[in-house]
Every structure is written in structure tokens, then in C-alpha cells.
Amino acid sequence: MTQRNKETELDVIHTKIWREIPEPDNPFAAAKCYCAGYDVYGEILQKASWAEYLYLLFKQERPSESEALLLEKIAIAIANPGVRSHTVRAAMCAGVGGSTAASALIAALTAGAGNYHGGHEVSQMMQWWSACKTDLNQWKKQIENPPAIKRAEVWSDMEHIPGFDPHGESCSLPTRQTLDVLEKTSDGEHLKWLIANRETLEDVADMPLHLTGVIATAFMDLQLQPEQGEILFLLLQLPGAAVHALEQEKNGWRKYPFFGNAVNLLNDPGPNTA
Amino acid sequence: MIIMSKSKQLLDAKDNWQTDMGAMFPGERVVVRGKDFFTELYGMSWMGLLLYYITGREFSENELEVLDQLWMLSINYPDPRIWNNRIAALGGTTRSTPALSIGAAICVSEANIYGGQANVAAIDFIKDAKNKIDKGLSLEEVIKKELKEFRVIKGYGRPIASKDERIEPVLKMLEEHGYADGAHVKLALQTHEYLKESRFRMQINITGLAAAVGADIGFSAKEYYTWTVVGFTGGITACYLDSLNHEQGSLFPLSCDRISYEGEQERSWD
């Protein structure tokens, strides 16, 4: 039998976000929960909006009215990436096969996590913002000479300028509408600068701004760190993934694209080898 | 509608997935990398198939055994304290499903202080180091340059304990299979000797040794890393099942006083 390690008994979770007071009859049941000092069930639940609470969780401070509104607008803008997006398609593949609810969301997170229209793209663009700030010359320099990974990592190098659409012909209407609404809501400088310089950046990048770029920029206005932006982007896309997975589960696999004739083998030895 | 150049890339791919990886012909046959799966690859081991998918190469029995033993000896402990294993154990204790628990634990294995990120950086380092030494740099120069640029050398040093108990049995296994004298393994051990005696006091860990074996076998960094992804599954599965066989919710229970709160004092929303 392994000896109990005394150090283990002292293990605690260090947090600036969460505090609990136990029920008098059970040390494992919380009577009071505090988020950044605010009573969650005694006060926040009654008085705060979802966006205010979400902001509090990330920043441990209450948002201003405009910050809460900006976060709410971001959440609406990306709540459903749409039924054709890779994120939602991954969730629907789980749905049509009758997979678990959690796997549908994990699937959506996976396809929504990457360098192409995903969470990692958001954090990459936020890092570009940190490096280039609102200096057009810096942006031009970085677009012409983008940073590369020096020591191999689990992520690949970006294959396009983060926040822009390598398959886009022009900046899409929803992207422009989102940029417009978020800029009007925000007190920050990044969205304003992006509106003013969008077309110049698009010319230099030789591709249009994508919605991920707008969201990354809005996260800069909320003064979030790149890793916060990445994880919040992932989180806020899940509602669309969830409902489309549920819908396709009901529809069934027969009504969902299987791409039956879409795979073209370049090196088929033919049936005679069998 | 005018279709321009960039969206044309998607238009060309529409219902047209061109591939030489393979496909199934439902009810008939399967093709894998240009070979008939049920005849030409019949009898291949699962490890052999995985590596065939990753590299397009077929591996010898000895190579497959080395790689199998690397997984077996290195990354499959049944201990729920290890962070990736604990995900599966938490899944078990909350009566989640095996696939969710094991799948999430594999995802979490793509970590920085151990696992995926460390693996890919470790093989990249040792291959890079050998190239530089082949071109005339000394080991000391390579190590100092690496530390100056990245502050760490993946594959050396270890959280929790400084000595890695896996090095000895893995070296034994490598000797038995003729892999203890590979150029990258030798270089990894020389790096270990240098770092151990230096002010950094770091020792080689299994990530560093396994990456050197991977390099000697001829993997690229990407190939090697992709191969390691599912290697943790054994220990993860053990932790899930162990947890499932205990009282629900009983894995390392935390009472409220195990929270060390370091934030703002109580305040009112109004």
C-alpha cells in the first residue's frame, strides 16, 4: 500500500476567480460561491446579464456598459458560424451518426480551433495586433514578412495572414456588418483603426478581411490576452454547433451529405488486385 | 456570377477530393496508398498500418518492436495524478463515456511540459543539433545557442522529479534491438552528460531519448509527433477504468477549504 503523502494533503487550488464557503453540515457542498468577490447565487444571478458575468469571469472586474454590450454583440455575431462552416459540420457529423452530445461539441471545437477560420487564428491575429499596434507601416512589414515557427510545434505555420480570408474575393457583407456594429459599440481604438485601414490592409495582404479578424480586433478592444481571445472564440461558437448537431441527428444520415462520388483516388490499382 | 481566382480553389475542390491516401469501395474493397488493403496489406500489424499511413513506408519487425516498446515503457503509466491520465479518471469518476474520457485525455496529452509539444520540439532539436554538428559546430555551441534562443531544451529536465526512471529500461531495450548506438541517440546522451554537469543541472528525460530514437529511425518531426499522439492510450484507459470501478465522484475529492482564494475581497454588485 502506498504511503499517503503529507504534501498531497496540503495541495490546494490557487485562484483569483473563485471562492467558496462550505455548508455547515458538509465540507464538500458550497453554501456561498463568490466570483471575484461577488456573491454568485446571492447577487450576480439576480442582477447581472450573461455578458457581464462572462466578462467578470475572464477579467475579475465588472465591464462598463459599452464593454458588456460589445461582448454580447460578439457573442451574437459568432454564436452560429453557419451550417456550412467546418466547425458546425464537424458537430453535425457527430449528430447524424448518433454520437454523444459532448462529442458533437468536442468535434466543433476541434474544427473551430485551427489556423483557418479558427481559434488559433484569432490568437495569432491578436499577437499581430500586439506586435504592430495601430501602425500601418508595421502591419505592412509584417504582412510582407510574416513570423515563422522556429522550433517545431504542434501547430503549423499560418498559411495566410491571420484574420484574413485566403479564399475570399472581397470582404463579405456579414463581416462588414459585424465590423460596423462592433465598432459603433466599442470605446476601444482597434476596431476604429481597422475600419479606417481595412482596404489598405486587404490590398497588402491580397485577401479580404475575415470575420475572425473582426472578432480578434474586438477582443483587443476588450483588452483580452491572445489566449483569452482564443478560448472565448471557441466557447462562443458552440451554440450553433449544438443546435445543428441536434437538428441533423433528427434528420438522420440519409438526408446528410455523404459525398458518395466526391473521392477521386489518384492511384487506384483497380479491382483486379483483390 | 463572376468567379475569381481565390474562390476558384474551393470551386475546383467541390465534390472532388483528389487523394492518393486511399478510399473504400463499399461492399467491395479498400485501397490504402495505392495498395489493395485486404490482399497486399493483409497481415500487417496495427502499428505497421499506423506508420504506413503516417509515412508511406513499411517498417521492419525490429523497428516496429522498438516503437511498440517505446510506447509500452514510456507513456502508459496507470497513475491518475499525471495530468492527461487524470482527465480520463475524472471522466470515469463522473461516469462519462469511455470515448469521451479517453479522447479528451489524448487531446490533453498535446501538452507543453510533457507530451505532444515536448515531443515535436525534442525531435526537431536533436535533428537540428546533429545537422549543425555535422556542419562543424561543437555540441557546446549548439546547446548554448538553443538555450539562448528558446531558454529550454525539450527532452531535458523534468517536472516533479529530476531523474527519469524510464531511461534505464529504455536503453536496455534499445541495446537489445540494436538501437543504442544510433547517431541521434548517442548525441542525445552526450547532450545529457553536458547538461548534467553544467550549471543547468538537467538530465535527459524520456522525451529526449525517444525523440532521438525517432530521428534514428528516420522520422521527420511531423511524422514522429503524429505517431506519438495515440501512444498514451493504454495508461489513459487504465485510469478511466480504475475510476469507473470506484465510488462515483470519489477521485481526489476537494472540500471547499482546498481553494486558496487570492482575489478581490467580498464586494457588492450594486
PDB file of all heavy atoms in Angstrom, chain A residues 22 24 27 76-77 99 106 125 136 141 147 150 154-155 158 160 166 169 173 186-187 191 195 235 237 262 268 271 274:
ATOM      1  N   PRO A  22     -18.212  26.612   2.781  1.00  0.00           N
ATOM      2  CA  PRO A  22     -18.951  25.336   2.812  1.00  0.00           C
ATOM      3  C   PRO A  22     -20.257  25.421   3.608  1.00  0.00           C
ATOM      4  O   PRO A  22     -20.413  26.279   4.473  1.00  0.00           O
ATOM      5  CB  PRO A  22     -17.960  24.390   3.496  1.00  0.00           C
ATOM      6  CG  PRO A  22     -17.066  25.276   4.302  1.00  0.00           C
ATOM      7  CD  PRO A  22     -16.992  26.593   3.599  1.00  0.00           C
ATOM      8  N   PRO A  24     -22.585  24.191   6.553  1.00  0.00           N
ATOM      9  CA  PRO A  24     -22.124  23.773   7.884  1.00  0.00           C
ATOM     10  C   PRO A  24     -22.105  22.249   8.057  1.00  0.00           C
ATOM     11  O   PRO A  24     -21.312  21.713   8.836  1.00  0.00           O
ATOM     12  CB  PRO A  24     -23.119  24.422   8.853  1.00  0.00           C
ATOM     13  CG  PRO A  24     -24.161  25.084   8.039  1.00  0.00           C
ATOM     14  CD  PRO A  24     -23.759  25.074   6.601  1.00  0.00           C
ATOM     15  N   PRO A  27     -18.418  19.615   4.161  1.00  0.00           N
ATOM     16  CA  PRO A  27     -17.293  20.404   3.605  1.00  0.00           C
ATOM     17  C   PRO A  27     -17.203  20.336   2.089  1.00  0.00           C
ATOM     18  O   PRO A  27     -16.487  21.122   1.486  1.00  0.00           O
ATOM     19  CB  PRO A  27     -16.062  19.745   4.247  1.00  0.00           C
ATOM     20  CG  PRO A  27     -16.492  18.358   4.583  1.00  0.00           C
ATOM     21  CD  PRO A  27     -17.947  18.436   4.907  1.00  0.00           C
ATOM     22  N   ILE A  76     -23.233  37.256 -30.200  1.00  0.00           N
ATOM     23  CA  ILE A  76     -24.278  37.050 -31.213  1.00  0.00           C
ATOM     24  C   ILE A  76     -23.635  36.809 -32.584  1.00  0.00           C
ATOM     25  O   ILE A  76     -24.028  35.907 -33.321  1.00  0.00           O
ATOM     26  CB  ILE A  76     -25.242  38.258 -31.268  1.00  0.00           C
ATOM     27  CG1 ILE A  76     -26.037  38.363 -29.959  1.00  0.00           C
ATOM     28  CG2 ILE A  76     -26.201  38.147 -32.460  1.00  0.00           C
ATOM     29  CD1 ILE A  76     -26.854  39.640 -29.815  1.00  0.00           C
ATOM     30  N   ALA A  77     -22.628  37.612 -32.891  1.00  0.00           N
ATOM     31  CA  ALA A  77     -22.009  37.535 -34.229  1.00  0.00           C
ATOM     32  C   ALA A  77     -21.451  36.141 -34.515  1.00  0.00           C
ATOM     33  O   ALA A  77     -21.475  35.686 -35.654  1.00  0.00           O
ATOM     34  CB  ALA A  77     -20.916  38.584 -34.358  1.00  0.00           C
ATOM     35  N   SER A  99     -23.810  10.189 -32.287  1.00  0.00           N
ATOM     36  CA  SER A  99     -22.755  10.259 -31.263  1.00  0.00           C
ATOM     37  C   SER A  99     -23.240  11.064 -30.061  1.00  0.00           C
ATOM     38  O   SER A  99     -24.298  11.694 -30.096  1.00  0.00           O
ATOM     39  CB  SER A  99     -21.494  10.895 -31.853  1.00  0.00           C
ATOM     40  OG  SER A  99     -21.062  10.172 -32.983  1.00  0.00           O
ATOM     41  N   ILE A 106     -17.121  18.685 -28.873  1.00  0.00           N
ATOM     42  CA  ILE A 106     -15.669  18.477 -28.999  1.00  0.00           C
ATOM     43  C   ILE A 106     -15.275  18.520 -30.477  1.00  0.00           C
ATOM     44  O   ILE A 106     -14.246  19.097 -30.848  1.00  0.00           O
ATOM     45  CB  ILE A 106     -15.258  17.130 -28.353  1.00  0.00           C
ATOM     46  CG1 ILE A 106     -15.421  17.221 -26.832  1.00  0.00           C
ATOM     47  CG2 ILE A 106     -13.821  16.764 -28.715  1.00  0.00           C
ATOM     48  CD1 ILE A 106     -15.320  15.882 -26.109  1.00  0.00           C
ATOM     49  N   MET A 125      -3.854  36.516 -34.707  1.00  0.00           N
ATOM     50  CA  MET A 125      -4.068  37.905 -35.118  1.00  0.00           C
ATOM     51  C   MET A 125      -3.907  38.850 -33.925  1.00  0.00           C
ATOM     52  O   MET A 125      -3.397  39.966 -34.078  1.00  0.00           O
ATOM     53  CB  MET A 125      -5.437  38.095 -35.757  1.00  0.00           C
ATOM     54  CG  MET A 125      -5.481  39.427 -36.508  1.00  0.00           C
ATOM     55  SD  MET A 125      -7.103  40.007 -36.919  1.00  0.00           S
ATOM     56  CE  MET A 125      -6.719  41.391 -37.999  1.00  0.00           C
ATOM     57  N   LEU A 136       0.372  51.383 -39.371  1.00  0.00           N
ATOM     58  CA  LEU A 136       0.151  50.773 -40.690  1.00  0.00           C
ATOM     59  C   LEU A 136       1.447  50.240 -41.303  1.00  0.00           C
ATOM     60  O   LEU A 136       1.458  49.169 -41.925  1.00  0.00           O
ATOM     61  CB  LEU A 136      -0.509  51.795 -41.626  1.00  0.00           C
ATOM     62  CG  LEU A 136      -0.993  51.262 -42.972  1.00  0.00           C
ATOM     63  CD1 LEU A 136      -2.004  50.136 -42.817  1.00  0.00           C
ATOM     64  CD2 LEU A 136      -1.586  52.396 -43.812  1.00  0.00           C
ATOM     65  N   LYS A 141       4.864  45.728 -43.009  1.00  0.00           N
ATOM     66  CA  LYS A 141       6.117  44.970 -42.885  1.00  0.00           C
ATOM     67  C   LYS A 141       5.841  43.532 -42.491  1.00  0.00           C
ATOM     68  O   LYS A 141       6.429  42.590 -43.024  1.00  0.00           O
ATOM     69  CB  LYS A 141       7.010  45.620 -41.808  1.00  0.00           C
ATOM     70  CG  LYS A 141       7.896  46.724 -42.315  1.00  0.00           C
ATOM     71  CD  LYS A 141       8.836  47.156 -41.212  1.00  0.00           C
ATOM     72  CE  LYS A 141       9.335  48.566 -41.446  1.00  0.00           C
ATOM     73  NZ  LYS A 141       9.927  49.167 -40.260  1.00  0.00           N
ATOM     74  N   PRO A 147       5.939  36.262 -39.325  1.00  0.00           N
ATOM     75  CA  PRO A 147       6.781  35.455 -38.439  1.00  0.00           C
ATOM     76  C   PRO A 147       6.585  33.968 -38.704  1.00  0.00           C
ATOM     77  O   PRO A 147       5.487  33.537 -39.068  1.00  0.00           O
ATOM     78  CB  PRO A 147       6.283  35.816 -37.031  1.00  0.00           C
ATOM     79  CG  PRO A 147       4.931  36.399 -37.224  1.00  0.00           C
ATOM     80  CD  PRO A 147       4.886  36.979 -38.591  1.00  0.00           C
ATOM     81  N   LYS A 150      10.007  28.777 -35.177  1.00  0.00           N
ATOM     82  CA  LYS A 150      11.450  28.492 -35.208  1.00  0.00           C
ATOM     83  C   LYS A 150      11.766  27.075 -34.763  1.00  0.00           C
ATOM     84  O   LYS A 150      12.694  26.453 -35.255  1.00  0.00           O
ATOM     85  CB  LYS A 150      12.176  29.497 -34.310  1.00  0.00           C
ATOM     86  CG  LYS A 150      12.219  30.888 -34.918  1.00  0.00           C
ATOM     87  CD  LYS A 150      12.959  31.837 -34.005  1.00  0.00           C
ATOM     88  CE  LYS A 150      12.990  33.244 -34.583  1.00  0.00           C
ATOM     89  NZ  LYS A 150      13.383  34.231 -33.593  1.00  0.00           N
ATOM     90  N   VAL A 154       3.206  21.849 -32.167  1.00  0.00           N
ATOM     91  CA  VAL A 154       2.036  21.072 -32.595  1.00  0.00           C
ATOM     92  C   VAL A 154       1.212  21.838 -33.631  1.00  0.00           C
ATOM     93  O   VAL A 154       0.508  21.237 -34.439  1.00  0.00           O
ATOM     94  CB  VAL A 154       1.150  20.669 -31.392  1.00  0.00           C
ATOM     95  CG1 VAL A 154       1.926  19.772 -30.446  1.00  0.00           C
ATOM     96  CG2 VAL A 154       0.607  21.881 -30.660  1.00  0.00           C
ATOM     97  N   TRP A 155       1.321  23.167 -33.623  1.00  0.00           N
ATOM     98  CA  TRP A 155       0.634  23.974 -34.626  1.00  0.00           C
ATOM     99  C   TRP A 155       1.521  24.099 -35.858  1.00  0.00           C
ATOM    100  O   TRP A 155       2.742  24.099 -35.744  1.00  0.00           O
ATOM    101  CB  TRP A 155       0.336  25.379 -34.086  1.00  0.00           C
ATOM    102  CG  TRP A 155      -0.636  25.382 -32.972  1.00  0.00           C
ATOM    103  CD1 TRP A 155      -0.334  25.534 -31.646  1.00  0.00           C
ATOM    104  CD2 TRP A 155      -2.049  25.213 -33.051  1.00  0.00           C
ATOM    105  NE1 TRP A 155      -1.480  25.468 -30.902  1.00  0.00           N
ATOM    106  CE2 TRP A 155      -2.551  25.278 -31.732  1.00  0.00           C
ATOM    107  CE3 TRP A 155      -2.948  25.023 -34.102  1.00  0.00           C
ATOM    108  CZ2 TRP A 155      -3.906  25.147 -31.445  1.00  0.00           C
ATOM    109  CZ3 TRP A 155      -4.297  24.895 -33.815  1.00  0.00           C
ATOM    110  CH2 TRP A 155      -4.762  24.949 -32.495  1.00  0.00           C
ATOM    111  N   MET A 158       1.125  29.544 -40.075  1.00  0.00           N
ATOM    112  CA  MET A 158      -0.032  30.102 -40.769  1.00  0.00           C
ATOM    113  C   MET A 158       0.209  30.031 -42.275  1.00  0.00           C
ATOM    114  O   MET A 158       1.324  30.285 -42.736  1.00  0.00           O
ATOM    115  CB  MET A 158      -0.234  31.576 -40.393  1.00  0.00           C
ATOM    116  CG  MET A 158      -0.744  31.843 -38.991  1.00  0.00           C
ATOM    117  SD  MET A 158      -2.417  31.272 -38.636  1.00  0.00           S
ATOM    118  CE  MET A 158      -3.423  32.138 -39.831  1.00  0.00           C
ATOM    119  N   HIS A 160      -1.784  31.778 -44.281  1.00  0.00           N
ATOM    120  CA  HIS A 160      -2.304  33.054 -44.787  1.00  0.00           C
ATOM    121  C   HIS A 160      -2.178  34.089 -43.661  1.00  0.00           C
ATOM    122  O   HIS A 160      -1.827  33.728 -42.532  1.00  0.00           O
ATOM    123  CB  HIS A 160      -3.767  32.907 -45.236  1.00  0.00           C
ATOM    124  CG  HIS A 160      -4.711  32.570 -44.113  1.00  0.00           C
ATOM    125  ND1 HIS A 160      -4.866  31.286 -43.631  1.00  0.00           N
ATOM    126  CD2 HIS A 160      -5.525  33.342 -43.355  1.00  0.00           C
ATOM    127  CE1 HIS A 160      -5.751  31.292 -42.648  1.00  0.00           C
ATOM    128  NE2 HIS A 160      -6.159  32.525 -42.444  1.00  0.00           N
ATOM    129  N   PRO A 166      -8.110  33.581 -47.145  1.00  0.00           N
ATOM    130  CA  PRO A 166      -7.323  33.224 -48.331  1.00  0.00           C
ATOM    131  C   PRO A 166      -8.191  32.807 -49.514  1.00  0.00           C
ATOM    132  O   PRO A 166      -7.708  32.747 -50.639  1.00  0.00           O
ATOM    133  CB  PRO A 166      -6.462  32.054 -47.847  1.00  0.00           C
ATOM    134  CG  PRO A 166      -7.220  31.463 -46.707  1.00  0.00           C
ATOM    135  CD  PRO A 166      -7.933  32.605 -46.057  1.00  0.00           C
ATOM    136  N   GLU A 169     -12.874  36.739 -52.179  1.00  0.00           N
ATOM    137  CA  GLU A 169     -12.651  37.672 -53.297  1.00  0.00           C
ATOM    138  C   GLU A 169     -12.794  39.111 -52.816  1.00  0.00           C
ATOM    139  O   GLU A 169     -12.104  40.001 -53.289  1.00  0.00           O
ATOM    140  CB  GLU A 169     -13.654  37.397 -54.431  1.00  0.00           C
ATOM    141  CG  GLU A 169     -13.589  35.985 -54.998  1.00  0.00           C
ATOM    142  CD  GLU A 169     -12.275  35.687 -55.716  1.00  0.00           C
ATOM    143  OE1 GLU A 169     -11.451  36.596 -55.899  1.00  0.00           O
ATOM    144  OE2 GLU A 169     -12.068  34.506 -56.077  1.00  0.00           O
ATOM    145  N   LEU A 173     -20.324  40.710 -46.770  1.00  0.00           N
ATOM    146  CA  LEU A 173     -21.273  41.633 -46.127  1.00  0.00           C
ATOM    147  C   LEU A 173     -21.399  41.373 -44.623  1.00  0.00           C
ATOM    148  O   LEU A 173     -21.315  42.322 -43.832  1.00  0.00           O
ATOM    149  CB  LEU A 173     -22.628  41.549 -46.839  1.00  0.00           C
ATOM    150  CG  LEU A 173     -23.729  42.462 -46.297  1.00  0.00           C
ATOM    151  CD1 LEU A 173     -23.326  43.932 -46.375  1.00  0.00           C
ATOM    152  CD2 LEU A 173     -25.045  42.242 -47.072  1.00  0.00           C
ATOM    153  N   SER A 186     -18.005  49.846 -29.471  1.00  0.00           N
ATOM    154  CA  SER A 186     -16.758  49.809 -28.699  1.00  0.00           C
ATOM    155  C   SER A 186     -16.204  51.201 -28.399  1.00  0.00           C
ATOM    156  O   SER A 186     -16.317  52.119 -29.210  1.00  0.00           O
ATOM    157  CB  SER A 186     -15.713  49.018 -29.476  1.00  0.00           C
ATOM    158  OG  SER A 186     -14.485  49.064 -28.809  1.00  0.00           O
ATOM    159  N   ASP A 187     -15.568  51.306 -27.225  1.00  0.00           N
ATOM    160  CA  ASP A 187     -14.830  52.530 -26.883  1.00  0.00           C
ATOM    161  C   ASP A 187     -13.354  52.400 -27.259  1.00  0.00           C
ATOM    162  O   ASP A 187     -12.585  53.340 -27.085  1.00  0.00           O
ATOM    163  CB  ASP A 187     -14.909  52.796 -25.369  1.00  0.00           C
ATOM    164  CG  ASP A 187     -16.333  53.092 -24.934  1.00  0.00           C
ATOM    165  OD1 ASP A 187     -17.093  53.630 -25.763  1.00  0.00           O
ATOM    166  OD2 ASP A 187     -16.681  52.765 -23.784  1.00  0.00           O
ATOM    167  N   LEU A 191     -10.834  48.579 -33.324  1.00  0.00           N
ATOM    168  CA  LEU A 191     -11.886  48.438 -34.334  1.00  0.00           C
ATOM    169  C   LEU A 191     -11.964  49.692 -35.205  1.00  0.00           C
ATOM    170  O   LEU A 191     -12.150  49.600 -36.425  1.00  0.00           O
ATOM    171  CB  LEU A 191     -13.232  48.150 -33.659  1.00  0.00           C
ATOM    172  CG  LEU A 191     -13.396  46.722 -33.092  1.00  0.00           C
ATOM    173  CD1 LEU A 191     -14.543  46.668 -32.089  1.00  0.00           C
ATOM    174  CD2 LEU A 191     -13.636  45.700 -34.212  1.00  0.00           C
ATOM    175  N   ILE A 195     -11.450  49.745 -39.285  1.00  0.00           N
ATOM    176  CA  ILE A 195     -12.399  50.289 -40.269  1.00  0.00           C
ATOM    177  C   ILE A 195     -11.675  51.263 -41.191  1.00  0.00           C
ATOM    178  O   ILE A 195     -11.828  51.222 -42.418  1.00  0.00           O
ATOM    179  CB  ILE A 195     -13.584  50.981 -39.556  1.00  0.00           C
ATOM    180  CG1 ILE A 195     -14.568  49.910 -39.083  1.00  0.00           C
ATOM    181  CG2 ILE A 195     -14.254  52.009 -40.471  1.00  0.00           C
ATOM    182  CD1 ILE A 195     -15.982  50.372 -38.883  1.00  0.00           C
ATOM    183  N   LEU A 235     -15.446  29.057 -27.315  1.00  0.00           N
ATOM    184  CA  LEU A 235     -16.629  28.914 -26.455  1.00  0.00           C
ATOM    185  C   LEU A 235     -17.883  29.500 -27.098  1.00  0.00           C
ATOM    186  O   LEU A 235     -18.951  28.883 -27.102  1.00  0.00           O
ATOM    187  CB  LEU A 235     -16.324  29.635 -25.134  1.00  0.00           C
ATOM    188  CG  LEU A 235     -17.386  29.748 -24.084  1.00  0.00           C
ATOM    189  CD1 LEU A 235     -17.422  28.462 -23.296  1.00  0.00           C
ATOM    190  CD2 LEU A 235     -17.092  30.905 -23.146  1.00  0.00           C
ATOM    191  N   GLN A 237     -18.731  29.966 -30.131  1.00  0.00           N
ATOM    192  CA  GLN A 237     -19.247  29.377 -31.375  1.00  0.00           C
ATOM    193  C   GLN A 237     -20.095  28.135 -31.123  1.00  0.00           C
ATOM    194  O   GLN A 237     -20.684  27.590 -32.057  1.00  0.00           O
ATOM    195  CB  GLN A 237     -18.087  28.967 -32.275  1.00  0.00           C
ATOM    196  CG  GLN A 237     -17.342  30.129 -32.860  1.00  0.00           C
ATOM    197  CD  GLN A 237     -16.516  29.662 -34.045  1.00  0.00           C
ATOM    198  OE1 GLN A 237     -16.845  29.906 -35.200  1.00  0.00           O
ATOM    199  NE2 GLN A 237     -15.456  28.961 -33.765  1.00  0.00           N
ATOM    200  N   ALA A 262     -17.510  11.862 -54.359  1.00  0.00           N
ATOM    201  CA  ALA A 262     -16.595  13.017 -54.322  1.00  0.00           C
ATOM    202  C   ALA A 262     -15.139  12.643 -54.098  1.00  0.00           C
ATOM    203  O   ALA A 262     -14.267  13.494 -54.190  1.00  0.00           O
ATOM    204  CB  ALA A 262     -17.046  13.994 -53.240  1.00  0.00           C
ATOM    205  N   ASP A 268      -5.535   4.343 -57.806  1.00  0.00           N
ATOM    206  CA  ASP A 268      -6.350   3.138 -57.616  1.00  0.00           C
ATOM    207  C   ASP A 268      -5.770   1.973 -58.433  1.00  0.00           C
ATOM    208  O   ASP A 268      -5.689   2.065 -59.659  1.00  0.00           O
ATOM    209  CB  ASP A 268      -7.788   3.451 -58.059  1.00  0.00           C
ATOM    210  CG  ASP A 268      -8.708   2.268 -57.830  1.00  0.00           C
ATOM    211  OD1 ASP A 268      -8.262   1.275 -57.207  1.00  0.00           O
ATOM    212  OD2 ASP A 268      -9.876   2.338 -58.263  1.00  0.00           O
ATOM    213  N   PRO A 271      -9.868  -3.165 -59.251  1.00  0.00           N
ATOM    214  CA  PRO A 271     -10.408  -4.316 -58.520  1.00  0.00           C
ATOM    215  C   PRO A 271      -9.650  -5.615 -58.769  1.00  0.00           C
ATOM    216  O   PRO A 271      -9.747  -6.547 -57.993  1.00  0.00           O
ATOM    217  CB  PRO A 271     -11.852  -4.415 -59.024  1.00  0.00           C
ATOM    218  CG  PRO A 271     -11.863  -3.701 -60.337  1.00  0.00           C
ATOM    219  CD  PRO A 271     -10.771  -2.682 -60.303  1.00  0.00           C
ATOM    220  N   ALA A 274      -7.539  -7.459 -56.076  1.00  0.00           N
ATOM    221  CA  ALA A 274      -8.205  -8.066 -54.914  1.00  0.00           C
ATOM    222  C   ALA A 274      -8.286  -9.577 -55.062  1.00  0.00           C
ATOM    223  O   ALA A 274      -8.241 -10.089 -56.153  1.00  0.00           O
ATOM    224  CB  ALA A 274      -9.594  -7.465 -54.757  1.00  0.00           C
TER     225      ALA A 274
END
